[in-house]
Amino acid sequence: MVVAYEAASGRYQDMLYKRSGRSGLKLPAISLGLWHNFGPDRAFETQRQIVRHAFDAGVTHFDLANNYGPPPGSAEETFGRILAEDLRPYRDELIISTKAGYDMWPGPYGEWGSRKYLLASLDQSLARMGLEYVDVFYSHRPDPDTPLEETMGALDAAVRAGKALYVGISNYSAQQSREAARILRELGTPLLIHQPSYSMFNRWIEPELLDVLAEEGAGCIPYSPLAQGLLTNRYLDGIPEDSRVRTSRSLNESALTASRLDLIRALDEVARERGQSLAQLALAWALRDPRITSLIIGASSVKQLSDNLGALQNPVLSPEELARIDGLLAQEAA
């Protein structure tokens, strides 16, 4: 017998909420992404408990995409079931986002950034999740062949059709982001947020993109702030056989050189001196810039999610700690 879910009464007490750019929308400092761990190869009850625990902890934002799973589409189906069975009474307390841009179906209309693909994909996503609208609809990646005006026009059309409340972009360069923001502003649907990759090991957004987003009034919500698990205690003693480095196509052993492992251990020492795990330190570090609205993390268990949310209990890094971390990262880059 499944016990009816009732959200924790104190769910908003401890979470930090930050405004996305100059919009009226606030997001939790940590959001839950359903990129991995929410396909049919995982136990549904585990998935459900992760989502429940997240919401009970004040995580109001759940981030998806049409291709999340595996297989593609299955994460949205899983979330749709959890929404129907547990979270439907709380819909107005939730921010649900999805994206379109990667390969989803055969033929020339199954990926990239055409109006045909984006709007068809959004309809499919809404059907999989059992929703009338999403809160944020993203262009998941820039299309080198489709005019940016068409891609941004499709996002604007989704809002005007009542199928999305806000729009975002992901994996766009600084210059592409500035142009996208300009087009959307002229259409009357401002750019809410950009979702780039970002971590201690991947700082590409710092030289230009963050400045552009601040100037355009858009938020920033990085994914992979733990560098797909590298910035956790997973690799402190070597490479486990069941780790993502050994099992995933998006990460391989070349990412774990001897010098990288030494760096991970040195960063872990900084974390332990702060009374944190390495993952908690990495999340606190990524949140240090006020232009960062939220961080998207994944979770394969309630324990992992809870441990990562613990970063918010000690989020402030001293100037000395930041300088020490920068020094360690600079040594590897040299």
Side-chain angles (χ1 to χ4, degrees):
M1 176 179 171
V2 177
V3 178
Y5 169 67
E6 183 175 342
S9 60
R11 58 190 175 276
Y12 296 117
Q13 291 179 358
D14 298 323
M15 178 56 68
L16 170 67
Y17 297 91
K18 303 177 68 176
R19 192 173 301 279
S20 182
R22 291 195 292 267
S23 78
L25 186 69
K26 291 183 177 181
L27 297 178
I30 293 180
S31 301
L32 182 63
L34 281 70
W35 179 21
H36 295 292
N37 306 315
F38 286 85
D41 58 333
R42 308 289 177 128
F44 174 75
E45 195 55 36
T46 299
Q47 298 166 338
R48 162 189 252 161
Q49 292 303 324
I50 291 170
V51 171
R52 284 181 171 186
H53 183 78
F55 188 54
D56 284 343
V59 176
T60 54
H61 179 211
F62 298 91
D63 181 74
L64 297 109
N66 58 359
N67 65 327
Y68 286 0
S74 60
E76 290 180 328
E77 291 172 351
T78 296
F79 185 76
R81 180 179 171 187
I82 297 170
L83 181 67
E85 297 181 10
D86 295 332
L87 295 178
R88 182 68 64 183
Y90 306 98
R91 174 63 182 99
D92 290 337
E93 298 180 40
L94 304 177
I95 299 298
I96 301 169
S97 60
T98 196
K99 314 176 198 73
Y102 287 92
D103 189 20
M104 276 300 289
W105 61 84
Y109 320 120
E111 63 177 326
W112 293 109
S114 71
R115 182 185 181 94
K116 167 74 172 174
Y117 165 70
L118 290 173
L119 297 181
S121 178
L122 177 56
D123 283 343
Q124 293 176 21
S125 292
L126 293 175
R128 282 190 288 264
M129 291 188 282
L131 290 171
E132 295 180 358
Y133 69 94
V134 291
D135 297 276
V136 188
F137 182 46
Y138 285 87
S139 167
H140 205 164
R141 60 173 172 171
D143 184 340
D145 298 319
T146 299
L148 194 56
E149 289 81 0
E150 179 175 340
T151 300
M152 295 303 105
L155 298 184
D156 173 69
V159 171
R160 295 184 185 280
K163 297 178 181 181
L165 300 185
Y166 300 91
V167 301
I169 55 177
S170 182
N171 301 309
Y172 279 55
S173 70
Q175 182 55 42
Q176 289 168 331
S177 299
R178 189 183 296 280
E179 184 65 8
R182 180 192 64 78
I183 295 168
L184 286 168
R185 186 167 54 248
E186 292 176 356
L187 290 170
T189 299
L191 175 63
L192 174 77
I193 203 160
H194 185 297
Q195 189 175 136
S197 59
Y198 181 57
S199 71
M200 287 181 178
F201 295 161
N202 177 17
R203 302 177 67 171
W204 75 273
I205 69 174
E206 292 178 1
E208 295 182 79
L209 181 61
L210 284 173
D211 285 339
V212 167
L213 297 179
E215 292 165 8
E216 298 293 344
C220 183
I221 182 167
Y223 66 89
S224 292
L226 301 180
Q228 296 194 57
L230 295 182
L231 289 165
T232 70
N233 62 7
R234 239 359 215 141
Y235 303 99
L236 294 176
D237 299 315
I239 306 175
E241 288 301 319
D242 63 344
S243 67
R244 187 173 292 180
V245 164
R246 288 272 166 83
T247 62
S248 172
R249 292 180 298 175
S250 59
L251 197 63
N252 57 56
E253 291 190 43
S254 65
L256 272 178
T257 61
S259 62
R260 174 60 60 85
L261 285 169
D262 287 342
L263 173 59
I264 290 171
R265 295 183 184 111
L267 291 168
D268 181 63
E269 183 177 341
V270 177
R272 283 187 286 109
E273 290 175 9
R274 286 172 47 82
Q276 289 184 315
S277 68
L278 176 54
Q280 289 170 344
L281 172 68
L283 294 172
W285 179 89
L287 284 168
R288 75 199 187 285
D289 192 308
R291 295 169 294 185
I292 300 295
T293 308
S294 177
L295 301 174
I296 294 175
I297 63 168
S300 59
S301 68
V302 168
K303 182 182 184 303
Q304 183 186 45
L305 174 61
S306 182
D307 288 347
N308 288 345
L309 290 173
L312 299 179
Q313 296 174 12
N314 185 18
V316 180
L317 290 148
S318 70
E320 293 76 19
E321 288 170 328
L322 289 171
R324 182 178 172 190
I325 293 168
D326 276 342
L328 291 171
L329 297 177
Q331 287 178 25
E332 192 200 34

